[in-house]
Amino acid sequence: MPPQDFPATDWNEQTKAEEWRAAWAQLCNRALEQYGHAERIDHRSYERQGIDQIPTVHLGVAASAMEKRGIRTERGDLNREIEVTNQKLRQLKARIAKLQKWLKEEQENTEPPTLADYIQGILSRRAREGKSQFSQSLYNLKDAAKMLNFLQANNIMDMAGLDEKFKSMIGEQLDIQHKLKPIDRRLGTLKKHIEQAEIYFKYKGKKHLTEAEQILFTAAHDYLKGVMNGKTALPVKAWKAEYAKLTAERETLNRRYLALKEEVKEAEQIRKSVYSILRQEQREQQPRRAQDMGR
């Protein structure tokens, strides 16, 4: 591409300075590109380019020659001070950029406050204001810690979440009850099967039975006959294995039921305490809002 022609007149006109500087920068950059250099020059000031940097001063021929010979000059010292300042500005700008990035990441990662955070904030404020009588009327310090731990452990965000957790605990309790009923019925049946089988085998083949023994044997025989429904081999071993398995399952469910019963009781108390705190907070906030609106 041939170089652009520029008028060579009006060298001393102030209005032409911007045009000549832009043209000079264009020619220099074209030459730099032609010879494979990545550097580029810009005729505009740092301020116009948006660069946070202080420009150095022009040394001049005499000062430049003295600096080359190792003689410090006033303008040379000024440029060195400017370079140090620019270095500090660059470091400060990098720190600010890093801080802005960190703040953005923190803002993105910030989770909304939980119900425990809100309740704890109320209690802390009341403690600072010296309103301990209200807190003591609801619960002691141990109960307050238990309440906050419960809310945090279950990641409860609001009252709807607390109500849902309470309902799910009640639901689990009812579910255990439903599971225990058929197990209890089956255990009762197996127990009777095993007892009658033991009576049957105890008196079977015995030559001389008393009247009472004969009654027991006959009753056991008739019972097992109805249970077996035509089958002859009594599965006593299988009955006992099933009985042991269901007994262990029943004990596990019963332990969970008893533990859950206590948990539901505590959760109900916690729920009542949270509601009491929020109602009291709402009552105290109403006069404040009225005062703010009246101002």
Side-chain angles (χ1 to χ4, degrees):
M1 180 177 178
Q4 184 178 348
D5 294 332
F6 296 98
T9 58
D10 303 328
W11 283 90
N12 295 324
E13 289 188 17
Q14 294 292 332
T15 57
K16 297 291 183 179
E18 178 69 16
E19 294 182 25
W20 283 109
R21 287 172 180 165
W24 174 79
Q26 184 179 358
L27 290 172
C28 290
N29 288 332
R30 189 180 300 167
L32 289 170
E33 182 181 4
Q34 181 180 355
Y35 290 98
H37 296 285
E39 294 82 359
R40 295 293 184 270
I41 65 173
D42 197 315
H43 69 287
R44 297 171 300 169
S45 66
Y46 286 150
E47 183 178 0
R48 288 172 61 190
Q49 295 180 55
I51 299 176
D52 295 328
Q53 186 170 312
I54 303 173
T56 55
V57 298
H58 181 64
L59 285 177
V61 178
S64 180
M66 294 175 66
E67 288 286 338
K68 288 181 180 179
R69 294 198 301 269
I71 302 173
R72 298 174 68 94
T73 63
E74 183 177 350
R75 290 196 171 192
D77 289 340
L78 178 59
N79 281 343
R80 280 183 282 274
E81 291 178 6
I82 290 173
E83 180 57 35
V84 171
T85 303
N86 284 335
Q87 185 176 1
K88 291 180 179 179
L89 284 173
R90 288 191 292 270
Q91 292 174 351
L92 179 60
K93 187 176 180 180
R95 290 178 183 175
I96 292 174
K98 187 176 181 181
L99 178 60
Q100 289 174 338
K101 181 181 178 182
W102 177 80
L103 288 173
K104 183 179 179 182
E105 291 176 352
E106 284 297 308
Q107 187 176 8
E108 292 175 352
N109 296 330
T110 300
E111 297 181 354
T114 63
L115 182 59
D117 298 329
Y118 183 62
I119 296 296
Q120 192 168 16
I122 294 175
L123 297 179
S124 299
R125 194 193 74 242
R126 292 185 181 282
R128 290 193 302 269
E129 294 174 353
K131 297 180 179 180
S132 59
Q133 184 177 0
F134 168 77
S135 300
Q136 290 175 358
S137 64
L138 284 176
Y139 44 76
N140 54 34
L141 184 61
K142 181 179 178 181
D143 292 331
K146 186 184 296 184
M147 176 180 63
L148 294 174
N149 288 335
F150 177 84
L151 297 175
Q152 290 172 343
N154 293 283
N155 195 30
I156 295 174
M157 305 300 294
D158 48 30
M159 287 305 302
L162 178 58
D163 291 339
E164 186 63 31
K165 176 62 180 176
F166 185 71
K167 290 179 182 177
S168 69
M169 294 173 72
I170 297 294
E172 184 182 355
Q173 196 175 22
L174 293 174
D175 184 57
I176 293 175
Q177 287 180 341
H178 292 320
K179 290 179 180 178
L180 283 172
K181 287 179 180 179
I183 291 176
D184 286 336
R185 287 195 298 267
R186 183 58 180 167
L187 283 173
T189 301
L190 289 170
K191 183 180 180 182
K192 191 169 184 180
H193 289 354
I194 295 169
E195 288 175 349
Q196 293 301 311
E198 289 176 348
I199 293 173
Y200 174 78
F201 286 119
K202 180 179 180 181
Y203 297 120
K204 181 183 178 183
K206 190 176 180 181
K207 294 181 179 180
H208 302 289
L209 296 176
T210 64
E211 184 180 356
E213 291 172 343
Q214 185 63 49
I215 293 172
L216 290 173
F217 176 76
T218 302
H221 178 271
D222 293 341
Y223 174 84
L224 294 171
K225 184 179 179 181
V227 169
M228 296 304 295
N229 195 20
K231 297 179 182 178
T232 56
L234 293 175
V236 179
K237 187 176 180 180
W239 288 343
K240 290 183 177 180
E242 185 182 358
Y243 187 88
K245 179 183 177 182
L246 289 176
T247 300
E249 185 177 345
R250 185 185 186 282
E251 290 178 356
T252 301
L253 288 172
N254 196 48
R255 282 196 300 269
R256 176 55 186 155
Y257 179 82
L258 294 175
L260 188 60
K261 186 177 180 180
E262 292 300 318
E263 291 175 11
V264 169
K265 184 178 178 181
E266 290 182 358
E268 186 176 13
Q269 183 58 47
I270 288 172
R271 186 165 166 266
K272 288 180 180 178
S273 297
V274 171
Y275 269 108
S276 297
I277 292 173
L278 295 180
R279 280 197 298 267
Q280 179 68 19
E281 180 71 8
Q282 187 177 17
R283 284 195 294 268
E284 291 189 1
Q285 289 291 340
Q286 287 176 351
R288 294 177 188 172
R289 293 195 187 100
Q291 290 177 1
D292 293 340
M293 292 177 64
R295 291 175 182 173

